[in-house]
Amino acid sequence: MSSAPTPYHHGDLRSALLDAAEQSLRQGGAADISLRGLARELGVSHAAPRRHFADKQELLDAVAELGWSRVDEEMRAADLTVDGQDLQAHLIARGIRYVRFAIDNPALIELMFAYKTSGRRPPPPPNAVGPSSIDLLVVARRRGELAVSSGQLARAVWAQLQGIAALAIGGFIPDVDLDAAVASGIEQLMVNTATTLA
Amino acid sequence: MSSAPTPYHHGDLRSALLDAAEQSLRQGGAADISLRGLARELGVSHAAPRRHFADKQELLDAVAELGWSRVDEEMRAADLTVDGQDLQAHLIARGIRYVRFAIDNPALIELMFAYKTSGRRPPPPPNAVGPSSIDLLVVARRRGELAVSSGQLARAVWAQLQGIAALAIGGFIPDVDLDAAVASGIEQLMVNTATTLA
DNA sequence: CTCGAAAGTAGTCGGTGTCAACATCACAGT
DNA sequence: ACTGTGATGTTGACACCGACTACTTTCGAG
């Protein structure tokens, strides 16, 4: 008796699918996700997902986009933990958070960087180093505190972070050394700053 | 008449499978590879591959291992193009070659770094920066030319390369800027070397 | 209140990985 | 020279998957 056990309409299947996909992505690769499996999980027929995503890739694209917004959240959270003007501390705080996120969600990151865009993926978000860091970099550059352009340094920093994440995910960096690796990596890239000023 | 059109035994199906897989990996993702497809390609029955690889993952693992040896070849080739004692030139030559390889074989690199080792993957080869670079780094460190340990710098360099490759594959670095990005990234990491000596 | 669009269902098709049972071949030991 | 045994390849089957079509139920704007 009681209320409908399985209402004909799910209510918000689309976001339920995204959630479930993101969740199972946290444990397995993108290849392990199956539309039918997700449908089963949500107690819905095997063809229901098709009403919201034309095909599997479209769902994965949506999940990837979700991932980028997760990164944005993480970065904003990192910004709150550090003095607004200390460029290096700023970058390290964001960097540690970024790398940790990547390692906790390896399949998601992989998806977000999927090269096989096949022309479908909408323009991906700007930059993992983020606007707030870019601002600081630009200011520092104007003050003559950087030996290279702010863009160049930003790219090097982002690459450093992405690389550390990749190596860690691949098992080439012990978990214990992670934060230290990030800090040291960024410091090494910034050494010239201090040196120039000294 | 002539000789057997399709001999019952293929001859060397195992390496033929690896070759075909590596080849098709150069155009699509690892998910696009199908054992049945490879078998069809090689004119062999759909269950034949199973005689050589217990399951698909085992074949992918073998391809990944093959990939690491390809990297070794590339790195050895890079070594021949540069003066043996110039550490920075050495690293840049290897770096450019490494990144180019990664970009030309994105799916292969992805496989080589696959986190889902599921406990099966045998211990992966040592280091993309490679023994020859490590030797130079150790010597430089002994001479007091490095501000950080050789291991730390090696890791930072490798991370930088891997990161640049990831960003480029993801479409975040224009192809034209690639070599420059590698050179500049490594130079930035090495700045303290020169500075210390000055 | 109605009716059309949105959301979900059922059934099907070709493709895939994996497994088991069988066929063929190479080659070592007699 | 002969044989039989293990390696290699084949056939057939099963369950699962993504995608498509046709059908049903529900919601909500007019």
Side-chain angles (χ1 to χ4, degrees):
Chain A
M1 320 283 171
S2 78
S3 61
T6 50
Y8 191 90
H9 282 85
H10 176 282
D12 193 358
L13 184 54
R14 184 186 158 92
S15 54
L17 283 169
L18 288 177
D19 282 358
E22 192 187 3
Q23 180 56 35
S24 70
L25 211 48
R26 206 163 285 133
Q27 316 194 8
D32 299 335
I33 288 187
S34 89
L35 294 179
R36 290 173 107 107
L38 294 179
R40 224 173 300 138
E41 232 175 277
L42 300 175
V44 102
S45 86
H46 70 265
R50 199 158 147 56
R51 290 287 156 211
H52 301 275
F53 303 98
D55 58 22
K56 188 177 181 178
Q57 189 58 44
E58 203 168 293
L59 176 136
L60 293 180
D61 286 350
V63 173
E65 214 159 343
L66 224 169
W68 283 111
S69 68
R70 291 269 180 279
V71 166
D72 275 354
E73 292 168 20
E74 288 291 326
M75 295 303 95
R76 254 192 291 276
D79 286 349
L80 299 178
T81 69
V82 74
D83 167 35
Q85 297 310 314
D86 185 341
L87 174 56
Q88 182 162 318
H90 191 84
L91 289 176
I92 290 180
R94 289 178 79 107
I96 288 179
R97 206 107 173 188
Y98 182 79
V99 169
R100 287 220 168 279
F101 177 84
I103 291 173
D104 289 342
N105 305 273
L108 181 53
I109 281 281
E110 185 177 312
L111 216 54
M112 291 157 59
F113 275 81
Y115 55 95
K116 45 179 154 188
T117 47
S118 70
R120 320 173 85 173
R121 177 80 44 84
N127 195 320
V129 171
S132 67
S133 305
I134 296 285
D135 288 349
L136 286 181
L137 282 168
V138 169
V139 170
R141 173 62 164 172
R142 278 219 196 90
R143 283 201 199 132
E145 293 173 14
L146 299 183
V148 296
S149 81
S150 56
Q152 243 176 321
L153 186 52
R155 191 176 56 193
V157 169
W158 189 12
Q160 185 72 24
L161 297 177
Q162 196 63 37
I164 289 176
L167 265 51
I169 291 172
F172 299 96
I173 299 181
D175 256 28
V176 225
D177 304 346
L178 248 192
D179 292 2
V182 172
S184 133
I186 290 183
E187 278 164 16
Q188 282 172 251
L189 284 174
M190 306 274 296
V191 161
N192 43 347
T193 303
T195 308
T196 304
L197 288 181
Chain B
M1 319 299 153
S2 73
S3 61
T6 51
Y8 191 89
H9 283 85
H10 175 284
D12 193 359
L13 183 53
R14 182 186 160 91
S15 55
L17 282 169
L18 288 177
D19 283 358
E22 191 186 4
Q23 180 56 34
S24 70
L25 211 48
R26 204 162 286 134
Q27 315 195 6
D32 300 334
I33 288 187
S34 91
L35 293 179
R36 289 174 108 106
L38 294 179
R40 226 172 300 139
E41 231 176 277
L42 300 176
V44 105
S45 86
H46 70 265
R50 199 155 148 56
R51 292 287 157 212
H52 301 274
F53 303 99
D55 57 23
K56 188 177 181 177
Q57 188 59 44
E58 204 169 292
L59 175 137
L60 293 180
D61 286 351
V63 173
E65 214 158 343
L66 225 167
W68 283 111
S69 68
R70 292 270 181 277
V71 167
D72 275 354
E73 291 169 19
E74 288 290 327
M75 294 303 95
R76 254 192 291 275
D79 287 349
L80 299 179
T81 68
V82 74
D83 166 35
Q85 297 312 312
D86 184 342
L87 175 57
Q88 182 161 319
H90 191 85
L91 288 177
I92 290 179
R94 289 178 78 106
I96 289 179
R97 205 107 174 189
Y98 183 79
V99 169
R100 288 221 166 278
F101 177 84
I103 291 173
D104 289 342
N105 304 273
L108 181 54
I109 280 283
E110 185 176 312
L111 216 55
M112 290 157 61
F113 277 82
Y115 55 95
K116 44 178 154 190
T117 47
S118 70
R120 318 173 85 170
R121 177 78 45 82
N127 196 321
V129 172
S132 66
S133 304
I134 295 285
D135 289 348
L136 287 182
L137 282 168
V138 168
V139 170
R141 173 61 165 172
R142 278 218 195 90
R143 283 199 200 135
E145 293 173 14
L146 300 182
V148 296
S149 81
S150 56
Q152 246 177 320
L153 186 53
R155 192 176 54 194
V157 169
W158 189 12
Q160 185 72 26
L161 297 177
Q162 196 63 37
I164 289 176
L167 266 50
I169 291 172
F172 299 95
I173 297 181
D175 255 29
V176 225
D177 304 346
L178 248 191
D179 292 2
V182 171
S184 135
I186 290 183
E187 279 163 16
Q188 281 173 252
L189 283 174
M190 307 273 297
V191 163
N192 43 348
T193 302
T195 308
T196 304
L197 287 182

